[in-house]
Amino acid sequence: MKIKDIISVLEEMAPLAYAEDFDNVGLLVGNSETESTGVLVCHDALENVIEEAITKNCNLVVCFHPILFSGIKKITGKNYVERAILKAIKNDIAIYAVHTALDNHSQGVNKIFCDALGLVNTKILIPKQNFIQKLVTYTVPENAQKVRQALFDAGAGTIGNYENCSFNSNGTGTYKGNSESNPVIGERHELTETEEIKIEVTFEKHLQSKILKTLFANHIYEEVAYEIYDLQNQHQNIGLGMIGEFETEMDEKDFLLFVKNKMTADGIRHSAFLGKKIKRIAVLGGSGSFAIKNAIMAGADAFLTSDLKYHQFYEAENQLLLADIGHFESERYTKNYIVDYLQKKILNFAIILSEENTNPVKYL
């Protein structure tokens, strides 16, 4: 099995198009055409993790955080990033990062976070914007079902919990072909009027080339009329953070002790107790201070995230309990999810969970 075959599975789990624009995801180091000897899954692809991959005969390291995040002009081994990259290159180890591609997935980082806490009725906290497009096309009635079904199979027509969604309206199409034309209906140089069906479907924008290729392959016309529009609609199943509920409410202190235990956190920084019960909880794995207002607007009793600064605790505005449980801790079970996913998709192949603890934050 080549590394590119494993990458295909990883992109099914976390499509790179879901990642934030600032992020650096995908294959960071290595050649996708190389035969893979095994996969080591980790949180951070540090030098000791690369050494672990060498020891365990894994030439692909799948990490959550990208070891290469910002621009780099030299690789001299002067810092932890360069040392990890040098060791990987010297030993033909490929590195692939998922990061916000998995953050934004409805079954990704924040769903894993919610599941660890036992939250129910979960939904995306900040739905992704500017990610949906609409295709409008026209064809004769006898071709309409074939075109629609092919578009559905290519990924179009999914809205929330519904599939095969489209809008269809009847009308009359007109055209007149020139001497170079080869009309399926009518003759060259003659004005043709024919009954047509207008088909409208939405799709995720990264599927555009696939959708158009499918349209052209299944449409009977020589020249296919179509339009594509960018929609302002939010994508309710893709986005950052998540909100859910406990089946039974808790006192604030009991809630934080529960979170500390479930997420194996060595310490939790939090805003002032408000003397209210905790039932509705917003979560955002990693650095989530930007989402405090979103959590408040969503009616959360508490917001769990990490990397909060001193003044950001004031932003709780006595409306919710704000808790920083630690960056690593909030994403703790992500690598376990990746291993489980790969093992279910790729049978009889070495998919190994890293034993290295790469959390750089320690507590007394």
Side-chain angles (χ1 to χ4, degrees), residues 148-159 162-165 201-207 210-211 214 235:
R148 269 195 305 269
Q149 190 57 57
L151 292 172
F152 295 153
D153 292 342
T158 298
I159 302 176
Y162 295 85
E163 299 177 349
N164 293 13
C165 302
V201 291
T202 60
F203 58 92
E204 296 175 3
K205 68 179 183 181
H206 67 283
L207 297 174
K210 182 180 180 181
I211 294 296
T214 299
H235 196 309

Side-chain angles (χ1 to χ4, degrees), residues 43-330:
H43 203 78
D44 303 277
L46 304 180
E47 188 178 10
N48 59 332
V49 174
I50 303 301
E51 187 62 46
E52 181 185 12
I54 296 168
T55 301
K56 295 179 178 178
N57 194 33
C58 295
N59 65 348
L60 173 60
V61 171
V62 176
C63 53
F64 178 64
H65 289 140
I67 186 68
L68 274 172
F69 190 75
S70 54
I72 185 170
K73 294 184 178 181
K74 299 178 181 178
I75 306 179
T76 61
K78 67 180 180 181
N79 57 44
Y80 77 97
V81 173
E82 294 179 12
R83 288 193 295 274
I85 295 168
L86 275 175
K87 185 173 284 288
I89 292 172
K90 286 180 178 179
N91 292 277
D92 293 323
I93 305 291
I95 302 175
Y96 184 98
V98 295
H99 206 210
T100 57
L102 192 56
D103 273 314
N104 277 315
H105 198 288
S106 61
Q107 299 300 313
V109 175
N110 296 294
K111 183 61 164 64
I112 298 165
F113 197 165
C114 287
D115 289 346
L117 298 175
L119 301 183
V120 297
N121 302 323
T122 57
K123 64 178 183 179
I124 299 295
L125 179 63
I126 309 176
K128 199 168 183 65
Q129 294 181 311
N130 303 316
F131 200 72
I132 303 175
Q133 294 183 322
K134 176 187 278 189
L135 169 71
V136 178
T137 190
Y138 313 81
T139 190
V140 292
E142 54 267 34
N143 183 225
Q145 178 58 33
K146 180 182 179 182
V147 168
R148 269 195 305 269
Q149 190 57 57
L151 292 172
F152 295 153
D153 292 342
T158 298
I159 302 176
N161 295 321
Y162 295 85
E163 299 177 349
N164 293 13
C165 302
S166 68
F167 186 80
N168 305 269
S169 52
N170 296 321
T172 301
T174 66
Y175 54 85
K176 181 169 70 172
N178 61 24
S179 58
E180 300 298 321
S181 67
N182 186 28
V184 176
I185 299 173
E187 302 294 335
R188 296 173 184 168
H189 308 295
E190 291 183 1
L191 179 64
T192 300
E193 292 190 7
T194 183
E195 179 185 356
E196 290 187 333
I197 294 180
K198 179 182 180 181
I199 302 171
E200 302 177 61
V201 291
T202 60
F203 58 92
E204 296 175 3
K205 68 179 183 181
H206 67 283
L207 297 174
Q208 184 184 121
S209 61
K210 182 180 180 181
I211 294 296
L212 289 179
K213 183 178 179 181
T214 299
L215 174 64
F216 299 150
N218 289 275
H219 204 294
I220 66 170
Y221 281 176
E222 181 183 25
E223 298 288 349
V224 180
Y226 71 94
E227 300 129 38
I228 290 179
Y229 302 97
D230 291 325
L231 302 182
Q232 297 300 311
N233 306 51
Q234 295 179 328
H235 196 309
Q236 58 185 298
N237 284 338
I238 301 174
L240 292 169
M242 194 159 277
I243 188 162
E245 299 175 342
F246 285 130
E247 293 184 350
T248 304
E249 61 187 19
M250 295 186 191
D251 291 326
E252 291 165 307
K253 185 175 181 180
D254 290 340
F255 165 69
L256 290 181
L257 290 172
F258 172 82
V259 172
K260 184 177 180 181
N261 177 58
K262 288 293 184 180
M263 305 307 292
T264 320
D266 289 321
I268 295 180
R269 298 186 302 140
H270 63 86
S271 59
F273 286 154
L274 302 175
K276 62 187 291 187
K277 298 292 185 180
I278 304 296
K279 183 175 178 64
R280 188 169 173 82
I281 300 94
V283 306
L284 201 154
S287 302
S289 61
F290 63 89
I292 295 173
K293 291 182 180 178
N294 300 89
I296 293 172
M297 290 176 61
D301 301 314
F303 178 37
L304 304 176
T305 187
S306 71
D307 298 344
L308 298 177
K309 296 180 180 179
Y310 175 87
H311 290 94
Q312 289 169 336
F313 283 95
Y314 289 126
E315 295 179 27
E317 294 285 2
N318 294 321
Q319 296 185 62
L320 85 175
L321 178 63
L322 185 57
D324 183 334
I325 74 168
H327 194 123
F328 178 89
E329 288 80 2
S330 69

